[in-house]
Amino acid sequence: MKTKEPTLIITFANTPDAIAMEMFCKQNDLPGRLSPIPGALKAGCGLAWKAPADMEAAFIEKMNANNVRFAETHIIEL
Amino acid sequence: MIYLDNAATTMFKPQQVIDAVVSAMSSMGNASRGAHGSALQASRTVYDTRCKLAKLFGCKSPDHVIFTCNSTEALNIAITGAIPHGSHVISTDLEHNSVLRPLYRLEEEQNVKLSFVPADQQGRIDYDDFEKLITPETSAIVCTHASNLLGTMVDLVRVGQIAKKHGLLLIVDASQTAGAAPIDMEAMNIDILCFTGHKGLMGPQGTGGLCVRDGLTIRPFKVGGSGIQSYNKHQPVEFPSCLEAGTLNGHGIAGLSAALDYLNEVTVDAIAAKEHALMERFYKGVSAIEGVKVYGDFSQPRTAIVTLNIRDYDSAMVSDALSEDYGIATRAGAHCAPRLHQALGTTAQGAVRFSISWFNTEEEIDQAIRAIEELAQED
C-alpha cells in the first residue's frame, strides 16, 4: 500500500448527489474523483468525493454557494 | 410493413437509441452498486438521463425522477403510494386500465371512493364535472393527458388549476403524450407525472418512470436493494432510492438517454406538428369514405390517433385484413380502455386504431386510406 496522507473525503446521502458532485467539479475545474467511501466513515451513499486535504474550506464554500448537496466532509489519512 | 400502431409502442427507433443500448450491453456496470469505472459510468448515465427527463417535463429535481419499467408500474407506485386510505378520488372515462385497475384495487381493499368524469359519445369531457364531483373527502385527481383510444387530449392546465384550488393531488398518466406533446409539471400543477419510455419518447421497452414534485412522500411499492444504507432495515427515505428497489434497467436507460438527445435535436414541437399533419391527412381521407365511422372530436387538441369502424364489421377482422392483405399494422379490440368504449357504444364491435409516429410518411398514410377504401367496398 502507498504511504498514507491526509485526504479530504466528502460524503453523500445518495448516488445522484455523488454524481451531481462529480458534474459540478468537472464544470468548475475542482480536483478529485469519486471513490468508495473509506470503511472508517459512514454515510448513506457508498460513493465519496476524494480531494486534496488543503481544499476543504474551498470545497465547502463552493458547494454551499451552488446548492450542491453533500452529507459531511472529513480529513482522514488515506 | 406500414406501422401504424405507435400508441402501443413506437417500433421504429432512432439508430442512436439502438447503438446506445448495444454499447451499454458491453460496457455498463450496475448503477449505484460500486465505485469502479463501469459502475460509475452506469451511475453517470442514469443520472444524466434523470437530468434530461427533469428538463423535458419541468420537474425541479433530477433526483425526483424515478425509473420504472413502464407507465403501469409508475402509476401503481403513484396511486398505491400517494392516495390516502378511505379518501375519495376523481378520474375520467378516458383512462387506460393502468389507471383504472390500481384505482379499483384501492376501492376494494382500502375503502377508497371513486368518481369518474363522464365522456360523451365523442369522447369529450366537461371540465366543470371535476369540481362538481369534489367532496370533503376528495384527495386526488388521477387522469390521463390523452386517451390511448381516441387521442383526445385533456387540458391539464385547467385540471391543474382545479386541483390546486382545492388542494388535491394531481397524478397524470402521460403514456400517450411524453415526447409527443409539451408537458410542464409546474405550469400544469402536476404532482406526479407517470410516463413510459417506449412510445413517444422513442426509447426501449422496459423503460419509464415517474416525476415527483418536491416535498411529496410516496409509500414504496416495493422494497429491497438500493445500493445505499445497507444496514437500514427499511427502504431509504431519500429520493430516488425510496422508490427504486432493485437493479435499474441500465441498458434501457442508456437507450432512453440517446432517445432524449434525439428528441432534443428534432424538438417535441416539430414531432407534434408532423404527426398532427399526417393524422389530419388520414382523418380527411377516411372520413370521406362511405360506411366508415370515425370516433372523436377532431376540433379539439389531440394526439395523432384516428380510430374507426367500417360499417358493422368486426374490428378484429378489419385489423387482420389490414395486416394480412396490406401489411398495415393497427390495433383492434378494446385497447385496455373499457370505460371509453362503453361511452362510445363500441364494446361489442371494438374499433380499429391507427396511431401515427414521427417516422411515418404521407405515402404510407395514403396507402392506408386506399386500404380502408377497398375494405369498405367489400361486403
Side-chain angles (χ1 to χ4, degrees):
Chain A
M1 297 291 280
K2 65 182 180 181
T3 308
K4 291 184 177 181
E5 59 184 44
T7 305
L8 171 62
I9 295 294
I10 302 171
T11 62
F12 305 95
N14 57 39
T15 308
D17 286 355
I19 300 296
M21 174 68 171
E22 183 185 56
M23 288 174 62
F24 173 74
C25 290
K26 275 187 182 170
Q27 288 163 0
N28 292 277
D29 290 324
L30 290 169
R33 68 175 177 86
L34 286 172
S35 73
I37 187 169
L41 300 179
K42 283 192 165 44
C45 180
L47 295 175
W49 188 256
K50 187 177 171 185
D54 61 357
M55 292 195 68
E56 183 177 23
F59 265 96
I60 291 173
E61 183 189 343
K62 285 183 185 295
M63 290 188 295
N64 286 335
N66 291 278
N67 296 316
V68 176
R69 289 188 301 211
F70 64 101
E72 293 174 335
T73 65
H74 300 268
I75 303 293
I76 61 172
E77 295 279 332
L78 286 178
Chain B
M1 189 222 296
I2 297 175
Y3 188 79
L4 292 171
D5 195 17
N6 294 283
T9 193
T10 47
M11 193 181 74
F12 296 107
K13 313 290 185 186
Q15 185 60 41
Q16 63 204 70
V17 174
I18 298 161
D19 294 344
V21 174
V22 170
S23 173
M25 289 190 76
S26 61
S27 63
M28 183 179 264
N30 195 339
S32 294
R33 310 305 197 267
H36 55 80
S38 55
L40 286 178
Q41 196 51 43
S43 294
R44 291 182 190 113
T45 298
V46 168
Y47 184 74
D48 186 46
T49 312
R50 292 190 209 278
C51 292
K52 290 173 186 172
L53 288 163
K55 186 177 177 189
L56 179 67
F57 297 137
C59 178
K60 276 188 176 172
S61 303
D63 63 0
H64 279 52
V65 176
I66 311 298
F67 286 112
T68 63
C69 60
N70 49 44
S71 274
T72 295
E73 186 182 5
L75 285 158
N76 271 271
I77 290 170
I79 290 170
T80 306
I83 293 175
H85 297 196
S87 67
H88 171 246
V89 174
I90 299 170
S91 190
T92 80
D93 277 352
L94 305 180
E95 308 307 320
H96 187 277
N97 272 336
S98 58
V99 167
L100 296 173
R101 285 177 173 159
L103 286 176
Y104 292 147
R105 191 165 72 169
L106 289 192
E107 183 181 41
E108 290 172 9
E109 298 177 0
Q110 296 180 10
N111 196 30
V112 168
K113 307 285 189 298
L114 304 177
S115 298
F116 292 91
V117 172
D120 67 14
Q121 287 193 319
Q122 290 295 312
R124 294 170 297 213
I125 58 171
D126 182 342
Y127 292 89
D128 291 339
D129 286 340
F130 282 98
E131 293 212 84
K132 289 176 187 168
L133 291 170
I134 292 171
T135 73
E137 286 72 40
T138 306
S139 64
I141 296 173
V142 186
C143 76
T144 188
H145 191 191
S147 158
N148 72 302
L149 172 55
L150 297 182
T152 312
M153 287 185 74
V154 172
D155 183 348
L156 287 180
V157 172
R158 202 161 166 188
V159 177
Q161 287 168 346
I162 294 168
K164 188 175 183 182
K165 178 181 169 187
H166 295 277
L168 308 179
L169 195 67
L170 177 56
I171 300 172
V172 170
D173 171 11
S175 301
Q176 294 297 324
T177 53
I183 296 172
D184 185 333
M185 288 180 68
E186 285 301 307
M188 295 169 169
N189 286 306
I190 297 170
D191 293 295
I192 306 175
L193 180 80
C194 301
F195 63 93
T196 192
H198 69 98
K199 294 184 179 180
L201 292 177
M202 295 189 272
Q205 294 180 10
T207 61
L210 59 162
C211 299
V212 182
R213 184 189 290 282
D214 282 2
L216 264 182
T217 301
I218 301 177
R219 191 171 62 254
F221 185 68
K222 57 183 178 180
V223 295
S226 59
I228 64 169
Q229 300 178 30
S230 293
Y231 292 96
N232 184 346
K233 285 185 176 177
H234 304 284
Q235 193 69 13
V237 297
E238 289 87 3
F239 278 85
S241 304
C242 58
L243 300 175
E244 283 184 348
T247 295
L248 295 176
N249 177 8
H251 304 141
I253 291 169
L256 180 60
S257 181
L260 291 163
D261 290 339
Y262 181 83
L263 274 179
N264 207 28
E265 288 164 24
V266 299
T267 77
V268 170
D269 287 338
I271 289 170
K274 180 184 174 185
E275 290 181 353
H276 197 269
L278 292 175
M279 182 266 295
E280 285 284 347
R281 187 182 185 94
F282 185 67
Y283 169 67
K284 283 177 185 164
V286 294
S287 58
I289 300 169
E290 187 183 344
V292 170
K293 179 173 185 178
V294 179
Y295 299 93
D297 180 352
F298 282 71
S299 68
Q300 302 292 318
R302 55 188 299 104
T303 57
I305 288 175
V306 179
T307 299
L308 58 82
N309 273 316
I310 302 174
R311 299 194 178 88
D312 60 350
Y313 299 170
D314 181 342
S315 65
M317 295 301 101
V318 173
S319 184
D320 188 54
L322 286 166
S323 175
E324 291 298 307
D325 301 337
Y326 299 94
I328 299 172
T330 61
R331 171 92 186 273
H335 312 88
C336 301
R339 298 186 72 94
L340 188 50
H341 270 291
Q342 286 163 354
L344 299 177
T346 49
T347 52
Q349 189 178 11
V352 187
R353 181 185 69 186
F354 297 75
S355 48
I356 293 159
S357 93
W358 167 250
F359 289 113
N360 287 125
T361 64
E362 290 185 351
E363 291 71 28
E364 289 178 329
I365 295 301
D366 292 346
Q367 284 184 55
I369 294 168
R370 284 196 293 276
I372 295 295
E373 277 175 342
E374 289 183 17
L375 289 172
Q377 287 166 7
E378 294 177 4
D379 290 329

